[in-house]
Amino acid sequence: PPRIEISPPPTHLQHSPPPAKTLAEICQEVKVLTRPIMAELRSYSSPPIPVRRTLVAVLMLLGEDKKQLADWSNVLVLMKGRGKESLITRLCEFEGADKKVVREVRRLTRDMTRVEVHTAGKSVSSLFSWVERVCYEESSREDV
């Protein structure tokens, strides 16, 4: 009989197992990718949807107003922060997000997969991993 191959289901944010990497490990990845990420972001006049949603999710978890993030130019300004306002500093010093924001981020990213984000914007996939880990850790705190 013909051999039937069954593909595993996509790894969606809401239903994915815990990301393999810790926030500290992801932060180190992002530190290495900062220049490529920024160069990739500046190249977009209108980024692919998975890239845009990932960045909006990151910035929402970092406490930015969702309404301000509707304008891509505002996202770019926030991504270019320096010193204590730099993306890396903010990611690495992250201590938690409001439960309501985490729920909003889950809704925003629920149909996205790691593969889809990586395909749309290779450099941004480490930021998606950060979002996954934060949402996983925040939901774990809710369960306790």
Side-chain angles (χ1 to χ4, degrees):
R3 187 174 150 176
I4 300 173
E5 289 189 33
I6 300 173
S7 300
T11 307
H12 287 73
L13 180 62
Q14 203 170 24
H15 305 291
S16 63
K21 297 177 181 171
T22 65
L23 281 177
E25 290 168 331
I26 294 166
C27 194
Q28 289 305 313
E29 264 182 30
V30 174
K31 280 182 180 180
V32 171
L33 292 174
T34 301
R35 285 182 188 261
I37 287 172
M38 293 312 295
E40 183 177 322
L41 296 178
R42 282 192 294 272
S43 74
Y44 298 124
S45 57
S46 179
I49 291 171
V51 171
R52 182 184 201 95
R53 285 187 182 171
T54 297
L55 294 172
V56 168
V58 165
L59 291 167
M60 284 175 64
L61 289 168
L62 291 174
E64 298 299 336
D65 182 4
K66 183 179 177 182
K67 291 175 188 169
Q68 293 293 319
L69 302 175
D71 183 343
W72 180 244
S73 63
N74 290 340
V75 172
L76 288 176
V77 167
L78 291 167
M79 297 293 289
K80 292 178 185 176
R82 296 191 183 276
K84 285 191 148 248
E85 293 303 312
S86 76
L87 179 66
I88 296 303
T89 301
R90 293 176 71 192
L91 289 173
C92 294
E93 293 180 357
F94 179 78
E95 292 183 1
D98 182 80
K99 290 177 189 178
K100 182 180 174 189
V101 172
V102 172
R103 282 193 297 274
E104 280 187 79
V105 166
R106 282 196 189 112
R107 278 193 298 274
L108 176 69
T109 58
R110 73 174 161 239
D111 297 327
M112 294 167 54
T113 65
R114 293 177 198 145
V115 172
E116 177 186 23
V117 173
H118 186 79
T119 302
K122 184 177 166 187
S123 300
V124 181
S125 60
S126 57
L127 293 174
F128 184 72
S129 294
W130 184 86
V131 170
E132 281 187 303
R133 175 49 84 174
V134 167
C135 288
Y136 175 77
E137 288 185 7
E138 293 296 322
S139 66
S140 296
R141 287 185 193 143
E142 289 175 16
D143 296 340
V144 175

